[in-house]
Structure formats: C-alpha cells, structure tokens
Amino acid sequence: MMGGRMAKILIVDDEPDLGEILKDTLEIKGYEVDVVLDGYQAMAQIKKTHYDLTLMDVRLPGLNGVETFLRIKEIDPLVKVIMMTGFAMEDLIEEALKQGAYACLNKPFDLGKTIKLIEKAIYENHKVILIGNYSATTY
C-alpha cells in the first residue's frame, strides 16, 4: 500500500501471454496493472496515468524499450522502470541502466524472484541491478 492506495504497474511487452501472466500474478498481489504491446502505447498510458513502476521489454516493435524508457522518463521522471530481455543486448541494457533504469531482468525469469524485485523497486529507494542468473546487487 502506498499512502492508502495500491501501487500501479505498467507492463510493456509485445508477447501478450507474458504480459497477461505478469498482470494476473501482480493483481493477485493487489497491484493495479495495465498491459500495452509497444512503446507508443506505453507513452500514451504514461501521459494519462502515473505508474509507480513500469516493466519494459527491451525488444519492442517500432521504438525499442530503451528509446521508450527515455521518452517516458521525460513524460514522468518519477516512474521506476525495470527492463526485461530475452536476448543478449548488453549495449542497450547498459544504456538503460546508465540513464536510470532500476534493474534489468533476463527472460525467462523466476516469477517469485521477479515479484520480490518489483516490491523492492516500488517500496525502496535504491537501485538494483539484476543481470543474468547472478544475485541482485544494491547500492
């Protein structure tokens, strides 16, 4: 709970099945969740609603996830973003982390660990970097 309201999460992923699994899991935990399939839809949502956290796939049609992240950060500088990737895209991930992304998750990911990371991102104020199968580093 954040000041009496549930945190809002935006999932940006062009795999509708994955988006729905995450949405269902997070809604069970009590979060309000919206799912969009590309960066343009994400920007439209961010203009309408403040999200506490965005889960953003790196590989998206049209604008990639890092470009989308940079644009939504201009719209809402307070939104925290966790990047997700199923591909080795170190340069893009590095750029996102350098620009202030909260963390990066490699797909396929462990749902339990992902939920813990999401809760940490929403309720704590330091950065977490999670790359590959290594443990999360906080600083």
Side-chain angles (χ1 to χ4, degrees):
M1 293 284 268
M2 302 191 62
R5 70 170 182 86
M6 290 314 293
K8 293 189 82 152
I9 298 174
L10 177 64
I11 298 169
V12 188
D13 198 313
D14 63 340
E15 296 175 50
D17 292 350
L18 179 66
E20 287 306 312
I21 289 166
L22 279 172
K23 177 181 166 77
D24 292 347
T25 305
L26 291 166
E27 284 179 342
I28 289 166
K29 294 277 184 189
Y31 296 104
E32 283 183 50
V33 184
D34 291 318
V35 180
V36 296
L37 300 175
D38 66 38
Y40 298 104
Q41 292 175 5
M43 287 186 294
Q45 283 296 121
I46 296 279
K47 283 178 184 163
K48 288 192 299 196
T49 307
H50 169 71
Y51 290 93
D52 300 290
L53 181 69
T54 299
L55 295 170
M56 174 91 59
D57 194 6
V58 172
R59 253 174 93 150
L60 292 170
L63 280 183
N64 72 42
V66 176
E67 291 167 332
T68 304
F69 160 62
L70 295 174
R71 292 195 192 181
I72 66 172
K73 210 172 78 162
E74 286 172 14
I75 299 164
D76 183 353
L78 298 178
V79 69
K80 288 180 182 172
V81 177
I82 293 176
M83 305 301 294
M84 305 182 293
T85 183
F87 304 90
M89 302 178 83
E90 280 81 9
D91 51 337
L92 281 177
I93 292 162
E94 222 170 273
E95 177 67 12
L97 291 169
K98 200 165 65 188
Q99 295 297 332
Y102 185 83
C104 181
L105 281 172
N106 280 10
K107 294 179 188 175
F109 39 73
D110 176 307
L111 212 46
K113 286 181 183 165
T114 300
I115 298 298
K116 283 192 178 92
L117 178 64
I118 287 166
E119 289 172 348
K120 195 170 195 168
I122 290 171
Y123 299 110
E124 293 182 11
N125 284 324
H126 53 256
K127 275 192 178 182
V128 174
I129 297 175
L130 185 64
I131 297 172
N133 298 322
Y134 304 103
S135 61
T137 313
T138 59
Y139 59 95

